[in-house]
Amino acid sequence: MADCIFCKIIAGEIPSTKVYEDDVCLAFRDIAPQAPTHILVIPKQHIASVAEITAENSNVVAHIFEKIAQIAKAEGLEEDGYRVVSNCGDAAGQTVHHLHFHILGGKTLTLTMA
Ligand code: 5GP
Ligand code: ZN
């Protein structure tokens, strides 16, 4: 989608530090990390937010969660634990309107997002 930062990252028009990639999703390091490990996992298909997950595209989300578990393990987060967050809409503070899941770990997390 035009003017979507994350679609541009997928297209390689904006550089990112990639952690994992396949045909369905991309994982890369957040540009402004809020924890020692802060990774974003996004679908390659433009879905605006959790609010746009449907029966037709939820297979993508299931795939992403499978990869989140693998990525967290590969990053050494599994033993101590980690947080998976998706901000949906303005009140939640969603700033990029392309579905993304934050993986946050590497420290003891508070009850705020990070
Ligand atoms: P949100 O606030 O929408 O839940 O999360 C958006 C996240 O995207 C933020 O944590 C922000 O730091 C990250 N972000 C925004 N622009 C870029 C970018 O160009 N590159 C990377 N790697 N992360 C970005
Ligand atoms: Zn997009």
Side-chain angles (χ1 to χ4, degrees):
M1 176 178 271
D3 296 330
C4 171
I5 293 172
F6 287 175
C7 282
K8 287 181 178 168
I9 286 176
I10 291 162
E13 294 165 14
I14 295 175
S16 67
T17 305
K18 289 180 189 175
V19 173
Y20 174 81
E21 182 172 20
D22 62 27
D23 290 346
V24 174
C25 68
L26 173 67
F28 55 98
R29 298 198 188 275
D30 197 292
I31 203 167
Q34 296 183 44
T37 301
H38 188 170
I39 294 166
L40 301 172
V41 190
I42 66 175
K44 288 198 167 173
Q45 174 186 350
H46 182 91
I47 299 168
S49 73
V50 167
E52 291 199 359
I53 297 171
T54 64
E56 284 67 43
N57 64 25
S58 61
N59 58 324
V60 170
V61 179
H63 176 86
I64 285 174
F65 268 83
E66 180 189 339
K67 296 305 163 188
I68 285 172
Q70 290 176 8
I71 291 163
K73 189 171 188 175
E75 292 283 323
L77 300 177
E78 191 180 58
E79 189 176 338
D80 286 347
Y82 55 94
R83 181 170 291 163
V84 181
V85 174
S86 189
N87 295 316
C88 179
D90 294 340
Q94 184 180 6
T95 58
V96 179
H97 294 275
H98 180 127
L99 180 64
H100 52 282
F101 297 92
H102 300 255
I103 303 174
L104 296 149
K107 70 171 186 179
T108 299
L109 299 160
T110 64
L111 283 176
T112 57
M113 180 173 123

